[in-house]
Amino acid sequence: MEFAHSFLEKWSDQQLGGAADATDVPHTASPALQGYADGLRLTKVSFGHVLAAGPSAVTKGATKVTFDVTAQVAGGTWSYPSAVAVQQSTDGALAVHWNNSVLYPGLGDHDFLTAGPLPPGAVPAEVVAGDGRTDLSAFPSLRDITATIRKNAKPVAENTGTGVAVVDGKGRGVKTLKYFSKGKPPVVTTTIDARLQTVAESAVKDGHLQGKPAGTVALDWRNGHILAVAHTGDDGDIAINGIKSPGSTMKIITSAALIDRAGLTPGSTAPCTATVTANGQVFHNDPGVSADSGSTLAQAFAVSCNTSFIKEGFHHLVHDGDASALHDEAVNVFGMGSWSIGGGVATTDPSIPPDVHGGDQAAQFIGQGKVTATPLFMASVAATVRNTGFEQPIILPGQHQETAPQRISAPTAGYLQLLMRGVASGGTAAPRLHGLSGVGAKTGTAEEGDHTNGWLTAYDSRISVAALVEGGSSGVDSAGYVVRRLLGGS
């Protein structure tokens, strides 16, 4: 106790060299004590309630001594509890075991303390919707995204207030420990539409889903701005990271490849047979799709006939030496790649391998096999069709957007819009979307192990949406309920 008292008295009397000599590493303690005084612009420091607290739980063989610190620093008085560990060497000499937590509990080895005007990084930023005022952390699905943006974004504030803060070795604010005066916190404005986000939060909990994990993303198809992200389930944010086979929603890209590379049109012949054999594997249609339900590409798309797309894909693409057509179409026209949506928010990249073989070579045309996607990507696919061009999704205005090597041609976009309108008005999505104005859509049901996942992607005059429901029996009877509510709320 006497030794600890002596160390603290020297520190209080600004005898920093003497205080440093009382530690086990004087050459480290001396500049740290000086940095404490300089960073805080310290005028006085005193210690009270100095008490022995028994063996240290951190420093083996040392005694823990607790005390209260009262420091007169730039801007005001700062008080906090602290502690040191006093240890005895083999020759009986006592020393304070030094690390930066002597200055302040938990202070990192490369961190420092400062007092006065608070650095922006030390003041928690407000992450808000596009309206400039709605706090995104109020939405359950956006709490992790909000925390990530707050941590990684570089907000600017004219007046952050004054107080005591932790800064890192580069002078960047880490955390505020004490406020003397509150300023205006930094604000990071996102692209989120607060009203639509509210709809999305409710939509993924729709009673028709019976509690199944669901994820949805809504985009402004004109510029790629992410307007809503919502999800349920225990596997993280499946809206932006739920990487699954997209099922028949993939037929949008398959159709684009057939139009661009083989010259097909919605009226081209594409008979729907009961089965088709490709690379020795037999493929069937989903229940309810009859063999005579389509003879053109538009009809096959509307009823989502698997055999039509596998047969036409093999005939016009694989057999003609264009086996990587889907991959190339997805990359070159639909912008598939590694995206950064902004703020350090991680998203999972889709995948359409260019070199698949065997049954996977056929399965890719209907979004199965090794093809994977997220609701974020499929919402972007629908947006590219409606916008007649790819705009990479972003959540921060002004964030860099990757571009696609080539813009989708107006005739191809027009044909795809015609196909997708047929799905919404009289095809597989009609039970949910019929009657909505200006809507184009594509449903998907993807097999995964012993269950299926339901997908639906669509657009209207303002937004594009995609939804995934894990365990959904079909796209229209699971994801369809989510998408309907978002389109109705846009």
Coordinates of all heavy atoms in Angstrom, one line a residue, residues 226-312:
I226 N -30.5 1.2 -52.4 CA -31.1 0.2 -51.6 C -32.2 0.9 -50.7 O -31.8 1.7 -49.9 CB -30.1 -0.6 -50.8 CG1 -29.2 -1.4 -51.7 CG2 -30.9 -1.6 -49.8 CD1 -28.0 -2.0 -51.0
L227 N -33.4 0.6 -50.9 CA -34.5 1.2 -50.2 C -35.0 0.5 -49.0 O -35.5 1.1 -48.0 CB -35.7 1.4 -51.2 CG -35.4 2.2 -52.4 CD1 -36.7 2.3 -53.3 CD2 -34.9 3.6 -52.1
A228 N -34.8 -0.8 -49.0 CA -35.2 -1.6 -47.8 C -34.5 -3.0 -47.8 O -34.2 -3.5 -48.9 CB -36.7 -1.9 -47.9
V229 N -34.1 -3.4 -46.6 CA -33.5 -4.7 -46.4 C -34.1 -5.3 -45.1 O -34.1 -4.7 -44.1 CB -32.0 -4.6 -46.2 CG1 -31.4 -6.0 -45.9 CG2 -31.3 -4.0 -47.4
A230 N -34.8 -6.4 -45.3 CA -35.4 -7.0 -44.1 C -35.2 -8.5 -44.1 O -35.1 -9.2 -45.2 CB -36.9 -6.7 -44.0
H231 N -35.2 -9.1 -42.9 CA -35.0 -10.6 -42.8 C -35.4 -11.1 -41.5 O -35.5 -10.3 -40.5 CB -33.5 -10.9 -43.0 CG -32.6 -10.4 -41.9 ND1 -32.3 -11.1 -40.8 CD2 -32.0 -9.2 -41.8 CE1 -31.5 -10.4 -40.0 NE2 -31.3 -9.2 -40.6
T232 N -35.7 -12.4 -41.4 CA -35.9 -13.1 -40.2 C -35.0 -14.3 -40.2 O -34.3 -14.6 -41.1 CB -37.4 -13.5 -40.1 OG1 -37.7 -14.4 -41.2 CG2 -38.3 -12.3 -40.1
G233 N -35.1 -15.1 -39.1 CA -34.3 -16.3 -39.0 C -33.0 -16.1 -38.2 O -32.7 -15.0 -37.8
D234 N -32.4 -17.3 -37.9 CA -31.2 -17.3 -37.1 C -29.9 -17.4 -37.8 O -28.8 -17.5 -37.2 CB -31.3 -18.5 -36.1 CG -32.5 -18.4 -35.2 OD1 -32.9 -17.3 -34.8 OD2 -33.1 -19.4 -34.9
D235 N -29.9 -17.3 -39.1 CA -28.7 -17.5 -39.9 C -28.1 -16.2 -40.5 O -27.5 -16.2 -41.5 CB -28.9 -18.5 -41.1 CG -29.3 -19.9 -40.6 OD1 -28.8 -20.2 -39.5 OD2 -30.0 -20.6 -41.2
G236 N -28.4 -15.1 -39.8 CA -27.9 -13.8 -40.3 C -28.8 -13.2 -41.3 O -29.9 -13.6 -41.4
D237 N -28.3 -12.2 -42.0 CA -29.1 -11.4 -42.9 C -29.2 -12.1 -44.2 O -28.3 -12.0 -45.1 CB -28.5 -10.0 -43.1 CG -29.4 -9.1 -43.9 OD1 -30.3 -9.6 -44.5 OD2 -29.2 -7.9 -43.8
I238 N -30.2 -13.0 -44.4 CA -30.3 -13.7 -45.7 C -30.7 -12.9 -46.8 O -30.7 -13.3 -48.0 CB -31.3 -14.9 -45.5 CG1 -32.7 -14.5 -45.3 CG2 -30.8 -15.9 -44.4 CD1 -33.7 -15.6 -45.3
A239 N -31.1 -11.6 -46.6 CA -31.5 -10.7 -47.7 C -30.3 -10.4 -48.5 O -30.3 -10.3 -49.7 CB -32.1 -9.4 -47.1
I240 N -29.1 -10.2 -47.9 CA -27.9 -9.8 -48.6 C -26.8 -10.9 -48.5 O -25.8 -10.8 -49.3 CB -27.3 -8.4 -48.1 CG1 -27.0 -8.5 -46.6 CG2 -28.3 -7.3 -48.3 CD1 -26.3 -7.3 -46.0
N241 N -27.0 -11.9 -47.7 CA -26.0 -12.9 -47.6 C -26.6 -14.3 -47.7 O -25.8 -15.3 -47.5 CB -25.2 -12.8 -46.2 CG -24.3 -11.6 -46.2 OD1 -23.5 -11.4 -47.1 ND2 -24.5 -10.7 -45.2
G242 N -27.9 -14.5 -47.9 CA -28.5 -15.8 -48.0 C -28.2 -16.4 -49.4 O -29.0 -16.2 -50.3
I243 N -27.1 -17.1 -49.5 CA -26.6 -17.5 -50.8 C -27.3 -18.9 -51.1 O -26.9 -19.9 -50.5 CB -25.1 -17.6 -50.9 CG1 -24.6 -17.8 -52.3 CG2 -24.5 -18.5 -49.9 CD1 -24.7 -16.5 -53.2
K244 N -28.2 -18.9 -52.0 CA -29.0 -20.1 -52.3 C -29.2 -20.2 -53.8 O -29.0 -19.3 -54.6 CB -30.4 -20.0 -51.7 CG -30.4 -19.8 -50.2 CD -30.0 -21.1 -49.4 CE -30.1 -20.9 -47.9 NZ -29.7 -22.2 -47.2
S245 N -29.5 -21.4 -54.3 CA -29.9 -21.6 -55.7 C -31.2 -20.8 -55.9 O -32.1 -20.9 -55.2 CB -30.2 -23.1 -56.0 OG -29.0 -23.8 -55.9
P246 N -31.2 -19.9 -57.0 CA -32.3 -19.0 -57.2 C -33.5 -19.6 -57.9 O -34.5 -19.0 -58.1 CB -31.7 -17.9 -58.0 CG -30.6 -18.6 -58.8 CD -30.1 -19.6 -57.9
G247 N -33.3 -20.9 -58.3 CA -34.5 -21.6 -59.0 C -34.8 -20.8 -60.3 O -33.9 -20.2 -61.0
S248 N -36.1 -20.8 -60.6 CA -36.5 -20.3 -61.9 C -36.4 -18.8 -62.1 O -36.6 -18.3 -63.2 CB -37.9 -20.8 -62.2 OG -38.0 -22.2 -62.4
T249 N -36.1 -18.1 -61.0 CA -35.8 -16.6 -61.2 C -34.6 -16.5 -62.1 O -34.4 -15.4 -62.8 CB -35.6 -15.9 -59.9 OG1 -34.5 -16.5 -59.2 CG2 -36.8 -15.9 -59.0
M250 N -33.8 -17.5 -62.2 CA -32.6 -17.5 -63.1 C -33.0 -17.5 -64.6 O -32.2 -17.1 -65.4 CB -31.8 -18.8 -62.8 CG -30.5 -19.0 -63.7 SD -29.3 -17.7 -63.4 CE -28.2 -18.0 -64.6
K251 N -34.2 -17.8 -64.8 CA -34.7 -17.9 -66.2 C -34.7 -16.5 -66.9 O -34.8 -16.4 -68.1 CB -36.0 -18.5 -66.3 CG -36.0 -20.1 -66.1 CD -37.3 -20.7 -65.9 CE -37.2 -22.2 -65.6 NZ -38.5 -22.8 -65.2
I252 N -34.6 -15.4 -66.0 CA -34.5 -14.1 -66.6 C -33.1 -14.0 -67.3 O -33.1 -13.5 -68.5 CB -34.6 -13.0 -65.5 CG1 -35.9 -13.1 -64.8 CG2 -34.3 -11.6 -66.1 CD1 -36.0 -12.2 -63.5
I253 N -32.1 -14.5 -66.7 CA -30.7 -14.4 -67.3 C -30.6 -15.4 -68.4 O -30.0 -15.1 -69.5 CB -29.7 -14.6 -66.2 CG1 -29.7 -13.5 -65.2 CG2 -28.3 -14.7 -66.8 CD1 -28.7 -13.7 -64.0
T254 N -31.2 -16.6 -68.2 CA -31.2 -17.6 -69.3 C -31.9 -17.0 -70.5 O -31.4 -17.2 -71.7 CB -32.0 -18.9 -68.8 OG1 -31.3 -19.4 -67.7 CG2 -31.9 -19.9 -69.9
S255 N -33.1 -16.4 -70.4 CA -33.8 -15.8 -71.5 C -32.9 -14.7 -72.2 O -32.9 -14.6 -73.4 CB -35.1 -15.2 -71.0 OG -36.0 -16.3 -70.6
A256 N -32.3 -13.9 -71.3 CA -31.4 -12.8 -71.9 C -30.3 -13.4 -72.8 O -30.0 -12.9 -73.9 CB -30.8 -12.0 -70.8
A257 N -29.7 -14.5 -72.3 CA -28.7 -15.2 -73.1 C -29.2 -15.7 -74.4 O -28.6 -15.6 -75.5 CB -28.0 -16.3 -72.3
L258 N -30.4 -16.3 -74.3 CA -31.0 -16.9 -75.6 C -31.4 -15.8 -76.5 O -31.3 -16.0 -77.8 CB -32.2 -17.7 -75.2 CG -32.0 -19.0 -74.5 CD1 -33.3 -19.6 -73.9 CD2 -31.3 -20.0 -75.4
I259 N -31.8 -14.7 -76.0 CA -32.2 -13.5 -76.9 C -30.9 -12.9 -77.5 O -30.8 -12.7 -78.7 CB -33.0 -12.5 -76.1 CG1 -34.3 -13.1 -75.7 CG2 -33.1 -11.2 -76.9 CD1 -35.1 -12.2 -74.7
D260 N -29.9 -12.6 -76.6 CA -28.7 -11.9 -77.1 C -27.8 -12.8 -78.0 O -27.2 -12.3 -78.9 CB -27.9 -11.4 -75.9 CG -28.5 -10.2 -75.2 OD1 -29.3 -9.5 -75.9 OD2 -28.1 -9.9 -74.1
R261 N -27.7 -14.1 -77.6 CA -26.7 -14.9 -78.2 C -27.3 -15.9 -79.3 O -26.5 -16.4 -80.1 CB -26.0 -15.8 -77.2 CG -25.2 -14.9 -76.2 CD -24.7 -15.6 -75.0 NE -24.0 -14.7 -74.1 CZ -22.6 -14.6 -74.2 NH1 -21.9 -15.3 -75.0 NH2 -22.0 -13.7 -73.4
A262 N -28.6 -16.2 -79.2 CA -29.2 -17.1 -80.2 C -30.3 -16.4 -81.0 O -30.9 -17.1 -81.9 CB -29.7 -18.3 -79.5
G263 N -30.6 -15.2 -80.7 CA -31.5 -14.4 -81.5 C -33.0 -14.8 -81.3 O -33.9 -14.5 -82.1
L264 N -33.3 -15.5 -80.2 CA -34.7 -15.8 -79.9 C -35.5 -14.6 -79.5 O -34.9 -13.6 -79.1 CB -34.7 -16.9 -78.7 CG -34.7 -18.3 -79.1 CD1 -33.4 -18.7 -79.8 CD2 -34.9 -19.2 -77.9
T265 N -36.8 -14.7 -79.7 CA -37.7 -13.7 -79.3 C -38.8 -14.3 -78.4 O -38.9 -15.6 -78.4 CB -38.4 -13.0 -80.5 OG1 -39.3 -14.0 -81.2 CG2 -37.3 -12.6 -81.5
P266 N -39.7 -13.5 -77.8 CA -40.8 -14.2 -77.0 C -41.6 -15.1 -77.8 O -42.2 -16.1 -77.3 CB -41.6 -12.9 -76.6 CG -40.6 -11.9 -76.4 CD -39.6 -12.1 -77.6
G267 N -41.7 -14.9 -79.2 CA -42.5 -15.8 -80.0 C -41.8 -17.0 -80.5 O -42.4 -17.8 -81.2
S268 N -40.5 -17.1 -80.2 CA -39.7 -18.3 -80.7 C -40.3 -19.6 -80.1 O -40.7 -19.7 -79.0 CB -38.3 -18.1 -80.4 OG -37.7 -17.0 -81.0
T269 N -40.1 -20.7 -80.9 CA -40.6 -22.0 -80.5 C -39.8 -22.5 -79.3 O -38.5 -22.4 -79.3 CB -40.5 -23.0 -81.6 OG1 -41.3 -22.5 -82.7 CG2 -41.0 -24.4 -81.2
A270 N -40.5 -22.9 -78.3 CA -39.8 -23.5 -77.1 C -40.8 -24.5 -76.4 O -41.3 -24.2 -75.4 CB -39.4 -22.4 -76.1
P271 N -41.0 -25.6 -77.1 CA -42.0 -26.6 -76.6 C -41.8 -27.0 -75.1 O -40.6 -27.2 -74.7 CB -41.9 -27.7 -77.5 CG -41.3 -27.1 -78.8 CD -40.4 -26.1 -78.3
C272 N -42.8 -27.2 -74.4 CA -42.8 -27.6 -73.0 C -43.1 -29.1 -73.0 O -44.3 -29.5 -73.1 CB -43.7 -26.9 -72.1 SG -43.6 -27.3 -70.4
T273 N -42.1 -30.0 -72.8 CA -42.3 -31.4 -72.7 C -42.3 -31.9 -71.3 O -41.9 -31.1 -70.4 CB -41.2 -32.1 -73.5 OG1 -39.9 -31.7 -72.9 CG2 -41.2 -31.8 -75.0
A274 N -42.8 -33.1 -71.1 CA -42.9 -33.6 -69.7 C -41.5 -33.8 -69.1 O -41.4 -33.5 -67.9 CB -43.7 -34.9 -69.7
T275 N -40.6 -34.2 -69.8 CA -39.2 -34.5 -69.4 C -38.2 -34.1 -70.4 O -38.6 -33.9 -71.6 CB -39.0 -35.9 -68.9 OG1 -39.1 -36.8 -70.1 CG2 -40.0 -36.4 -67.9
V276 N -37.0 -33.9 -70.1 CA -35.9 -33.7 -71.0 C -34.7 -34.4 -70.4 O -34.5 -34.3 -69.2 CB -35.7 -32.2 -71.3 CG1 -35.2 -31.5 -70.1 CG2 -34.7 -32.1 -72.5
T277 N -33.9 -35.0 -71.2 CA -32.7 -35.7 -70.8 C -31.5 -34.9 -71.3 O -31.4 -34.6 -72.5 CB -32.6 -37.1 -71.3 OG1 -33.7 -37.8 -70.8 CG2 -31.3 -37.8 -70.8
A278 N -30.6 -34.5 -70.4 CA -29.4 -33.7 -70.7 C -28.2 -34.3 -70.0 O -28.2 -34.4 -68.8 CB -29.6 -32.2 -70.4
N279 N -27.2 -34.6 -70.8 CA -26.0 -35.2 -70.2 C -26.3 -36.4 -69.3 O -25.7 -36.6 -68.3 CB -25.2 -34.2 -69.4 CG -24.5 -33.2 -70.3 OD1 -24.4 -33.4 -71.5 ND2 -24.0 -32.1 -69.7
G280 N -27.3 -37.2 -69.8 CA -27.6 -38.4 -69.1 C -28.5 -38.3 -67.9 O -28.9 -39.2 -67.2
Q281 N -29.0 -37.0 -67.6 CA -29.8 -36.8 -66.4 C -31.2 -36.4 -66.9 O -31.3 -35.5 -67.8 CB -29.2 -35.7 -65.5 CG -30.0 -35.5 -64.2 CD -29.3 -34.6 -63.3 OE1 -28.1 -34.4 -63.3 NE2 -30.0 -34.0 -62.4
V282 N -32.2 -36.9 -66.3 CA -33.6 -36.6 -66.6 C -34.1 -35.5 -65.8 O -34.0 -35.5 -64.5 CB -34.5 -37.8 -66.5 CG1 -36.0 -37.5 -66.8 CG2 -34.0 -39.0 -67.4
F283 N -34.7 -34.4 -66.4 CA -35.2 -33.3 -65.7 C -36.7 -33.2 -65.9 O -37.2 -33.5 -67.0 CB -34.6 -32.0 -66.2 CG -33.1 -31.9 -65.8 CD1 -32.1 -32.4 -66.6 CD2 -32.7 -31.2 -64.7 CE1 -30.8 -32.3 -66.3 CE2 -31.4 -31.1 -64.3 CZ -30.4 -31.6 -65.1
H284 N -37.4 -32.8 -64.9 CA -38.9 -32.7 -64.9 C -39.3 -31.2 -64.6 O -38.5 -30.4 -64.2 CB -39.5 -33.6 -63.8 CG -39.1 -35.0 -63.9 ND1 -39.9 -35.9 -64.5 CD2 -38.1 -35.7 -63.4 CE1 -39.4 -37.1 -64.4 NE2 -38.2 -37.0 -63.8
N285 N -40.6 -31.0 -64.9 CA -41.1 -29.7 -64.5 C -41.7 -29.7 -63.1 O -41.9 -30.8 -62.5 CB -42.3 -29.4 -65.5 CG -41.8 -29.1 -66.9 OD1 -40.8 -28.4 -67.1 ND2 -42.5 -29.7 -67.9
D286 N -41.9 -28.5 -62.5 CA -42.6 -28.5 -61.2 C -44.0 -29.0 -61.3 O -44.6 -28.9 -62.4 CB -42.5 -27.0 -60.7 CG -41.1 -26.6 -60.4 OD1 -40.3 -27.4 -60.1 OD2 -40.9 -25.3 -60.4
P287 N -44.5 -29.4 -60.2 CA -46.0 -29.9 -60.2 C -46.9 -28.8 -60.7 O -46.7 -27.6 -60.4 CB -46.2 -30.2 -58.7 CG -44.9 -30.5 -58.2 CD -43.9 -29.6 -58.9
G288 N -47.8 -29.2 -61.6 CA -48.8 -28.2 -62.1 C -48.4 -27.7 -63.5 O -49.2 -27.0 -64.1
V289 N -47.2 -27.9 -63.9 CA -46.8 -27.5 -65.3 C -47.0 -28.6 -66.2 O -46.3 -29.6 -66.2 CB -45.3 -27.0 -65.3 CG1 -44.9 -26.6 -66.7 CG2 -45.1 -25.9 -64.3
S290 N -48.0 -28.6 -67.1 CA -48.3 -29.7 -68.0 C -47.5 -29.6 -69.2 O -47.0 -28.5 -69.6 CB -49.8 -29.6 -68.4 OG -50.1 -28.4 -69.0
A291 N -47.4 -30.7 -69.9 CA -46.5 -30.8 -71.1 C -47.0 -30.0 -72.3 O -46.2 -29.6 -73.2 CB -46.3 -32.2 -71.5
D292 N -48.3 -29.6 -72.3 CA -48.8 -28.8 -73.4 C -49.1 -27.4 -73.0 O -49.9 -26.7 -73.6 CB -50.1 -29.5 -73.9 CG -51.2 -29.5 -72.8 OD1 -50.8 -29.2 -71.6 OD2 -52.3 -29.9 -73.1
S293 N -48.4 -26.9 -71.9 CA -48.8 -25.6 -71.4 C -47.9 -24.5 -72.0 O -48.1 -23.3 -71.7 CB -48.6 -25.5 -69.9 OG -47.2 -25.9 -69.5
G294 N -47.1 -24.8 -73.0 CA -46.3 -23.8 -73.6 C -45.6 -24.2 -74.8 O -45.1 -25.3 -74.9
S295 N -45.7 -23.4 -75.9 CA -45.0 -23.8 -77.1 C -44.1 -22.7 -77.6 O -43.3 -22.9 -78.5 CB -46.0 -24.1 -78.2 OG -46.8 -22.9 -78.5
T296 N -44.2 -21.5 -76.9 CA -43.3 -20.4 -77.3 C -42.4 -20.0 -76.0 O -42.8 -20.4 -74.9 CB -44.0 -19.1 -77.7 OG1 -44.8 -18.6 -76.6 CG2 -45.0 -19.5 -78.9
L297 N -41.4 -19.2 -76.3 CA -40.6 -18.8 -75.2 C -41.4 -18.0 -74.1 O -41.2 -18.2 -72.9 CB -39.4 -17.9 -75.7 CG -38.4 -17.5 -74.6 CD1 -37.6 -18.7 -74.1 CD2 -37.4 -16.5 -75.2
A298 N -42.3 -17.2 -74.6 CA -43.1 -16.4 -73.7 C -44.0 -17.3 -72.9 O -44.2 -17.1 -71.6 CB -44.0 -15.4 -74.5
Q299 N -44.6 -18.3 -73.5 CA -45.5 -19.2 -72.7 C -44.7 -20.0 -71.7 O -45.1 -20.3 -70.6 CB -46.2 -20.1 -73.7 CG -47.3 -19.3 -74.6 CD -47.8 -20.2 -75.7 OE1 -47.1 -21.1 -76.2 NE2 -49.1 -19.9 -76.1
A300 N -43.5 -20.5 -72.2 CA -42.7 -21.3 -71.3 C -42.2 -20.5 -70.1 O -42.2 -21.0 -68.9 CB -41.5 -21.8 -72.0
F301 N -41.9 -19.2 -70.3 CA -41.5 -18.3 -69.2 C -42.7 -18.1 -68.3 O -42.5 -18.1 -67.0 CB -41.0 -17.0 -69.8 CG -40.3 -16.1 -68.9 CD1 -38.9 -16.2 -68.7 CD2 -40.9 -15.1 -68.1 CE1 -38.2 -15.4 -67.9 CE2 -40.3 -14.3 -67.3 CZ -38.9 -14.4 -67.1
A302 N -43.8 -17.9 -68.8 CA -45.0 -17.6 -68.0 C -45.4 -18.7 -67.0 O -45.7 -18.5 -65.9 CB -46.2 -17.2 -68.8
V303 N -45.3 -19.9 -67.5 CA -45.6 -21.1 -66.7 C -44.4 -21.7 -66.0 O -44.5 -22.6 -65.2 CB -46.3 -22.2 -67.5 CG1 -47.6 -21.6 -68.1 CG2 -45.4 -22.8 -68.6
S304 N -43.2 -21.2 -66.3 CA -41.9 -21.6 -65.8 C -41.6 -23.1 -66.1 O -41.4 -23.9 -65.2 CB -41.9 -21.4 -64.2 OG -40.6 -21.3 -63.8
C305 N -41.7 -23.4 -67.4 CA -41.4 -24.7 -67.8 C -39.9 -25.0 -67.9 O -39.2 -24.4 -68.7 CB -42.0 -24.9 -69.2 SG -41.7 -26.6 -69.9
N306 N -39.5 -25.9 -67.0 CA -38.0 -26.2 -66.9 C -37.5 -26.9 -68.2 O -36.4 -26.5 -68.7 CB -37.8 -27.2 -65.7 CG -38.0 -26.5 -64.4 OD1 -37.9 -25.3 -64.3 ND2 -38.3 -27.4 -63.4
T307 N -38.3 -27.8 -68.7 CA -37.8 -28.6 -69.9 C -37.6 -27.6 -71.1 O -36.6 -27.9 -71.9 CB -38.7 -29.7 -70.2 OG1 -40.0 -29.1 -70.5 CG2 -38.9 -30.7 -69.1
S308 N -38.4 -26.6 -71.2 CA -38.2 -25.7 -72.4 C -36.8 -25.0 -72.3 O -36.1 -25.0 -73.3 CB -39.3 -24.7 -72.4 OG -40.6 -25.2 -72.6
F309 N -36.5 -24.5 -71.1 CA -35.3 -23.7 -71.0 C -34.0 -24.6 -71.0 O -33.0 -24.2 -71.5 CB -35.3 -22.9 -69.7 CG -36.2 -21.7 -69.8 CD1 -37.5 -21.8 -69.5 CD2 -35.7 -20.5 -70.3 CE1 -38.4 -20.7 -69.7 CE2 -36.5 -19.4 -70.5 CZ -37.9 -19.5 -70.2
I310 N -34.1 -25.8 -70.5 CA -33.0 -26.7 -70.6 C -32.7 -27.1 -72.0 O -31.6 -27.1 -72.5 CB -33.2 -28.0 -69.7 CG1 -33.2 -27.6 -68.2 CG2 -32.2 -29.1 -70.0 CD1 -33.6 -28.7 -67.3
K311 N -33.8 -27.5 -72.7 CA -33.7 -27.9 -74.1 C -33.2 -26.8 -75.0 O -32.2 -27.0 -75.8 CB -35.1 -28.4 -74.6 CG -35.0 -29.0 -76.0 CD -36.3 -29.7 -76.4 CE -37.5 -28.9 -76.1 NZ -38.8 -29.6 -76.5
E312 N -33.8 -25.6 -74.9 CA -33.3 -24.5 -75.7 C -31.9 -24.0 -75.3 O -31.1 -23.7 -76.2 CB -34.3 -23.3 -75.5 CG -35.7 -23.6 -76.0 CD -35.8 -24.1 -77.4 OE1 -35.1 -23.6 -78.3 OE2 -36.5 -25.1 -77.6

